Amino acid sequence: MVEGSGNHIQRADAMSLMQDVLDTQSRALLDGDVATMRTTLNTPYRRITMDVDLIVENEADLHAGVSAFSNSLRSLGVNQLIRLATDAEFINDQMIEGHYVTHALRNATKMVPSYLNRIVLQHVDGVWRTIEVASEFESRGWPINLMHFASQGTVRNPKDMHDQRRNVNNPLRVYQQFLDRLTDATRERDFDAYIALCDLPYTYHGNALDTLMSTPEDVRPLFDMTVDMISGGKADTFERKAETAQFMGPNIMCGYHNSVFSKDGQAAIPAIKTRMILKHIGMGWKLKHVTDSIANDTYPYSAPEPTDALLTHRDIQERTKSWPTSL
């Protein structure tokens, strides 16, 4: 556990650590110092405003976001960016959640209304890094500029007694366990067990297709295709191998894995890269979004056509703007 005894000491430590990160970020944003800002951000990380909820995954999107936000400060003439922590607590040994207020000033004059933010930090490779930020202003997508603001605060969430971050020390292990249950259901041709792991409706994406899985009948062709590849002899082994996994909220997990079809110990087709977003509902984790690195442009399809590219969550949101954006 974190050093120090008692909630008061823990809270003070969390506040100090969080304020240090905020101060470093404020200086970097004012200076347009993307490199320093990058050291305080983890990827993937979740960015939320009143009308945006996305996962920032790659360096290009991260650089664009930091640069645009920094440029918007300079265009407003901001020369003081003050971000003050208001509360903070350790969710677990490696994670801090708290709130802070942003004041963007030119000399002593507010250039935009002050606004509230919720932030989550994680201790990664010896450094506290941002993994989630929610802000109470409106935006028009990514990158985010300081242009539109909400009139009411909406980011201070009530404490969730079932916050999974308090109980799970190894999200990668939990993610692999979920993948194993999904794979076991496929191997055993148990569609009921498979569908029980899905939170319908969930979204399914490839490089050229977007599908809303609203009913078990929508999911069935994908399940049957995987079963048929094995029972039809094209492959004799099917595995899902987790690579990384990270919390994106109290009950949201984003994971990346490879789906591997093998025949006589050799790859039957190239590995399929996959991103899954899971949501903890009731007593277990459920599938909410999945993206595969496939070139198929229609659904259902008889066999996957793997590619090297896995579309980012932001790319998917740009393509499905009329769909709900919340994770």
Side-chain angles (χ1 to χ4, degrees):
M1 196 60 194
V2 179
E3 292 182 359
S5 60
N7 291 335
H8 177 73
I9 296 177
Q10 247 189 30
R11 181 180 182 278
D13 289 346
M15 284 273 283
S16 177
L17 290 167
M18 192 175 91
Q19 190 62 61
D20 285 346
V21 173
L22 293 174
D23 291 344
T24 298
Q25 291 179 341
S26 294
R27 289 191 295 270
L29 286 168
L30 276 180
D31 294 341
D33 186 350
V34 177
T36 296
M37 189 69 181
R38 178 67 183 90
T39 65
T40 70
L41 299 172
N42 195 53
T43 49
Y45 95 101
R46 187 178 178 187
R47 190 65 174 97
I48 306 166
T49 66
M50 296 290 292
D51 47 7
V52 169
D53 187 347
L54 61 87
I55 296 173
V56 182
E57 298 172 90
N58 60 33
E59 294 299 322
D61 284 345
L62 197 66
H63 191 284
V66 173
S67 296
F69 197 86
S70 180
N71 289 338
S72 72
L73 291 172
R74 285 197 289 272
S75 69
L76 289 167
V78 173
N79 56 19
Q80 297 179 70
L81 182 62
I82 302 171
R83 300 152 93 216
L84 295 177
T86 60
D87 64 84
E89 67 165 329
F90 287 98
I91 303 172
N92 57 47
D93 292 354
Q94 302 295 316
M95 201 172 291
I96 293 171
E97 181 175 36
H99 296 84
Y100 65 93
V101 177
T102 298
H103 306 282
L105 311 174
R106 181 166 62 198
N107 300 326
T109 303
K110 287 186 180 182
M111 301 312 296
V112 294
S114 298
Y115 59 92
L116 182 66
N117 309 264
R118 176 173 52 80
I119 189 171
V120 181
L121 305 176
Q122 185 167 334
H123 202 241
V124 180
D125 297 330
V127 179
W128 287 97
R129 303 180 193 270
T130 303
I131 62 171
E132 182 182 348
V133 178
S135 302
E136 62 168 28
F137 62 81
E138 297 175 358
S139 58
R140 295 194 177 108
W142 185 264
I144 293 171
N145 293 305
L146 287 178
M147 298 299 292
H148 303 283
F149 292 81
S151 58
Q152 299 292 328
T154 60
V155 301
R156 188 183 293 274
N157 295 337
K159 298 298 180 186
D160 187 342
M161 298 300 293
H162 303 289
D163 188 335
Q164 294 303 302
R165 298 170 300 184
R166 300 180 184 276
N167 306 317
V168 176
N169 292 323
N170 189 341
L172 182 61
R173 182 177 60 198
V174 172
Y175 185 62
Q176 184 63 62
Q177 289 172 344
F178 178 86
L179 295 178
D180 291 343
R181 288 194 291 272
L182 206 62
T183 303
D184 287 345
T186 304
R187 290 171 178 160
E188 296 165 9
R189 306 183 187 186
D190 189 344
F191 183 66
D192 290 339
Y194 186 95
I195 206 69
L197 295 169
C198 303
D199 179 31
L200 299 174
Y202 78 84
T203 60
Y204 177 71
H205 310 277
N207 285 24
L209 66 86
D210 304 294
T211 303
L212 187 63
M213 303 291 200
S214 299
T215 68
E217 289 71 28
D218 294 331
V219 181
R220 187 86 205 203
L222 185 64
F223 177 83
D224 288 344
M225 180 273 296
T226 307
V227 170
D228 290 345
M229 286 192 67
I230 300 172
S231 62
K234 187 168 185 177
D236 54 28
T237 304
F238 174 55
E239 297 178 282
R240 293 182 173 96
K241 300 178 180 179
E243 291 191 328
T244 62
Q246 181 177 307
F247 280 106
M248 294 282 111
N251 300 295
I252 299 288
M253 184 182 295
C254 178
Y256 299 81
H257 67 273
N258 288 320
S259 299
V260 181
F261 291 90
S262 302
K263 174 77 171 180
D264 298 328
Q266 301 295 320
I269 60 173
I272 301 171
K273 301 173 184 177
T274 302
R275 174 183 60 253
M276 281 186 177
I277 297 176
L278 310 181
K279 185 174 184 178
H280 196 271
I281 300 173
M283 299 299 291
W285 292 94
K286 305 275 189 174
L287 178 60
K288 194 62 185 173
H289 303 275
V290 57
T291 303
D292 284 335
S293 61
I294 58 168
N296 305 70
D297 58 6
T298 59
Y299 178 85
Y301 50 87
S302 58
E305 302 170 11
T307 72
D308 291 333
L310 179 66
L311 262 64
T312 67
H313 185 253
R314 190 182 74 84
D315 289 333
I316 295 294
Q317 284 203 343
E318 284 295 310
R319 205 166 65 188
T320 58
K321 286 183 177 179
S322 62
W323 294 23
T325 58
S326 176
L327 297 183

